[in-house]
């Protein structure tokens, strides 16, 4: 019998894969209600097949009140009507498989919606079967429950305010690390774990090829739930008590044993892990004893924050190289990295790390070249392959995201900060930068919907869109296609060792990938000033570049990237 999962003799296909993330709400609307849906995805599979991606990661499409756009699930085994039906998903899976691609679902099991029947019962009484499936605590001794300061500890929620909500019926608080409509599940309870594992198996039986696991490192909390260090918001930072909790490896090992191990086949499991360190990530992904294929770490996307998400910090090329380079060494040949610049929670990379005006094409393609040729599995977030940018948000009414709206409210109304100041923070870091509709055409609403889109389209859709790029050999899209093809054609992209070169150079991002057959050298000028490459590469030929005049020589123009190959054997 074939065995499954990391740590066995079956080749992990996800090492040579490129994953494309779909945020269904904003991808394609087939029925004109202004919200993207599953049929819209089915209608656009050609786009993904042509791009050459191997796997689709579908952000949540389950039943949900949409307090956090589907990351608040009220039924894990049904599809929200706004997105379609279970049979639409079956059709999507079949169509994706028919095209030789795979599909992974989003597993959001650190919390449910407060409208999930488990919680609806749990909040009513202490004597129902799911009473202990959430994290309930009494008020602080000597205080009156429900009054300010009576919360069991000082933790703030990631979405502003306290992480605790008082429920009079139980005379207790429940913990919610995110919105108060997202109560945290109590993984200490074995019945809850069994229910989650059953649900996962049900989806695998339906044909999905793995899971992206939402904040999966948060599932184990230090049961004493101690106060955290005070943050600028006035709340405590609970992260040290749950970012690498005492039982997290045990829970994931149990999941591996219960869900994946009994099946023939290899699955992609990627754990989203805010605050994870390289050493911890290696422990999760080590090929002999790790429990997951790979994790999403946050270090490089937090470089432009000064401790707290909204506090700005300038980021340099050296910072990015130092961070990503350290992750490459830490995973080495035993662990495995995920590689991403973008997702539905992050501002657009070309605006953030590139130059979305003068060198828009050059910087979008240079950043892609660097990322895709690191060792690990690259992720492309919808629209990234078109160079979609941040959004010129005008007023708070342009925003939809609960994190952004709550932050604005807390800062402006709670702390009296100037609205323009808070808007400036939101324009820079809001998740809504990534959530405007996918730009398919230059038509009204970018071809996303024939109704009114749930969120306004970026005005630059008139010139940045799939229609304009798909048949243009010099487009961002064409460059992504070539990068993805390179991974499938050149084994060194998948297997090669990684070595940073010119590590102290302030503009150049340069590295080598080496395997017995060949050596790849990547030079990227991550700046708007020309730069001279100090070392020659004898015997190497240009495999890919983002300028189209076949230039050689040692000068790299603004945001120019070159990939050179030297074959070391006759194969
Ligand atoms: O995100 C987890 C997370 O910690 C952050 O990336 C979060 O988006 C926020 O910006 C912190 O400041 C995951 C999902 O990706 C996100 O969309 C959900 O809102 C969140 O979990 C809760 O499910």
């Amino acid at each position: 019998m074939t065995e499954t999962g990391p740590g066995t003799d079956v080749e992990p296909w996800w090492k040579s894969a490129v994953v494309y993330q779909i945020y269904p709400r904003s991808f394609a609307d087939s029925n004109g209600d202004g919200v993207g849906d599953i049929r819209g995805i089915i209608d656009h599979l050609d786009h993904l097949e042509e791009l050459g991606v191997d796997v689709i990661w579908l952000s949540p499409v389950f039943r949900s009140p949409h307090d956090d756009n589907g990351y608040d699930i009220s039924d894990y085994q049904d599809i929200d009507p706004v997105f379609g039906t279970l049979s639409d998903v079956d059709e999507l899976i079949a169509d994706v498989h028919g095209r030789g691609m795979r599909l992974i679902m989003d597993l959001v099991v650190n919390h449910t919606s407060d409208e999930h029947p488990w919680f609806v019962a749990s909040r009513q009484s202490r004597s129902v079967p799911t009473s202990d499936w959430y994290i309930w605590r009494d008020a602080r001794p000597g205080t009156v429950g429900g009054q300010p300061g009576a919360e069991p500890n000082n933790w703030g929620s990631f979405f502003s305010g306290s992480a605790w909500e008082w429920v009079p019926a139980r005379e207790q608080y429940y913990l919610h690390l995110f919105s108060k409509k997202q109560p945290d599940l109590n993984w200490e309870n074995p019945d809850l774990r069994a229910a989650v594992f059953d649900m996962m198996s049900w989806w695998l039986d339906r044909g999905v090829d793995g899971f992206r696991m939402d904040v999966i490192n948060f599932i184990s909390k230090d049961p004493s739930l101690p106060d955290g260090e005070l943050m600028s918001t006035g709340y405590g930072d609970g992260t040290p008590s749950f970012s690498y909790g005492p039982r997290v490896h045990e829970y994931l090992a149990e999941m591996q044993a219960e869900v994946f191990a009994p099946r023939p086949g290899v699955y992609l499991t990627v754990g989203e892990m805010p605050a994870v360190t390289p050493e911890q990530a290696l422990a999760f992904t080590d090929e002999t004893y790790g429990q997951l294929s790979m994790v999403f770490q946050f270090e490089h996307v937090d470089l432009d924050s000064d401790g707290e998400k909204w506090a700005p910090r300038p980021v340099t090329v050296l910072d990015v190289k130092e961070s990503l380079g350290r992750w490459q060494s830490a995973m080495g040949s035993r662990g495995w990295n995920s590689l991403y610049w973008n997702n539905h929670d992050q501002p657009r990379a070309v605006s953030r790390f590139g130059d979305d005006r003068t060198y828009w094409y050059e910087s979008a393609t240079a950043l892609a070249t660097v990322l895709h040729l690191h060792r690990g599995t690259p992720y492309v977030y919808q629209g990234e392959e078109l160079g979609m940018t941040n959004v010129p948000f005008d007023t708070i009414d342009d925003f939809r995201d609960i994190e952004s709206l709550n932050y604005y409210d807390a800062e402006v109304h709670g702390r009296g900060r100037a609205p323009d100041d808070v808007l400036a923070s939101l324009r820079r870091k809001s998740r809504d930068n990534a959530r405007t509709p996918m730009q398919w055409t230059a038509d009204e609403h970018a071809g996303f919907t024939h109704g009114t889109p749930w969120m306004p389209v970026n005005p630059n859709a008139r010139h940045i869109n799939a229609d304009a790029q798909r048949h243009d050999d010099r487009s961002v899209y064409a460059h992504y296609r070539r990068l993805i093809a390179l991974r499938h054609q050149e084994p060194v992209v998948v297997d090669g060792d990684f070595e940073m070169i010119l590590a102290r150079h302030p503009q150049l991002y340069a590295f080598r990938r080496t395997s017995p057959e060949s050596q790849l050298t990547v030079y990227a000028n991550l700046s708007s000033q020309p730069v001279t490459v100090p070392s020659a590469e004898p015997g190497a030929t240009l495999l890919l570049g983002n300028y189209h005049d076949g230039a050689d020589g040692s000068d790299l123009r603004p945001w120019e990237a070159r990939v050179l190959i030297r074959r070391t054997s006759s194969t």
Side-chain angles (χ1 to χ4, degrees), residues 179-384:
S179 127
K180 63 181 176 204
K181 287 184 66 63
Q182 291 167 300
D184 280 57
L185 285 163
N186 176 20
W187 275 69
E188 305 271 332
N189 184 304
D191 296 336
L192 172 269
R193 299 203 297 276
V196 169
F197 300 154
D198 281 352
M199 174 274 281
M200 293 174 72
S201 301
W202 185 87
W203 276 108
L204 293 176
D205 289 344
R206 264 197 132 83
V208 307
D209 301 291
F211 298 98
R212 175 270 187 186
M213 304 180 180
D214 195 66
V215 289
I216 201 70
N217 59 324
F218 290 2
I219 58 177
S220 163
K221 279 110 179 155
D222 170 352
S224 69
L225 305 178
D227 280 340
E229 209 175 298
L230 278 189
M231 302 181 289
S232 70
T233 53
Y235 290 97
D237 175 13
T239 323
S241 300
F242 56 74
S243 70
Y244 195 63
R247 299 183 68 184
V248 63
H249 281 291
E250 177 196 331
Y251 295 153
L252 291 178
E254 190 177 307
M255 179 191 284
Q256 168 66 23
E258 297 292 322
V259 179
F260 299 106
R263 293 172 178 269
V266 176
Y267 298 93
L268 194 173
T269 53
V270 50
E272 187 211 24
M273 298 198 173
V276 73
T277 67
E279 295 67 34
Q280 295 164 354
L282 180 60
F284 285 115
T285 66
D286 186 286
E287 63 182 9
T288 50
Y289 60 81
Q291 302 98 34
L292 299 173
S293 313
M294 61 193 102
V295 308
F296 288 133
Q297 55 96 4
F298 279 64
E299 207 182 279
H300 64 303
V301 290
D302 287 340
L303 289 172
D304 61 359
S305 290
D306 201 0
E308 292 169 28
K309 168 160 181 162
W310 306 99
R313 178 184 179 277
V315 52
T316 66
V317 173
L318 281 174
D319 294 335
V320 180
K321 288 202 287 186
E322 192 281 321
S323 172
L324 290 180
R326 195 158 28 74
W327 277 84
Q328 288 287 304
S329 330
M331 292 312 111
S333 53
R334 283 166 46 209
W336 193 252
N337 272 295
S338 71
L339 308 169
Y340 74 96
W341 290 127
N342 294 277
N343 60 43
H344 65 292
D345 294 333
Q346 299 295 333
R348 293 284 183 177
V350 64
S351 304
R352 191 178 189 187
F353 300 109
D355 172 351
D356 65 6
R357 285 155 190 256
T358 317
Y359 295 108
W360 164 74
Y361 162 81
E362 291 81 357
S363 63
T365 50
L367 288 167
T369 307
V370 164
L371 189 83
H372 278 244
L373 299 177
H374 275 62
R375 186 178 161 92
T377 299
Y379 287 71
V380 179
Y381 175 66
Q382 67 185 43
E384 177 183 344

Side-chain angles (χ1 to χ4, degrees), residues 68 71 108 111 158-159 178 182 212 214-215 272 274 298 309 344-345 403 431 435:
D68 186 19
Y71 281 90
V108 188
H111 44 266
F158 287 107
F159 292 165
F178 295 91
Q182 291 167 300
R212 175 270 187 186
D214 195 66
V215 289
E272 187 211 24
F298 279 64
K309 168 160 181 162
H344 65 292
D345 294 333
E403 181 189 42
R431 312 194 295 183
R435 299 179 179 185

Side-chain angles (χ1 to χ4, degrees), residues 31-44:
N31 64 359
D33 66 358
V35 176
D37 46 46
I38 293 158
R39 196 132 294 281
I41 299 172
I42 295 172
D43 293 343
H44 285 84

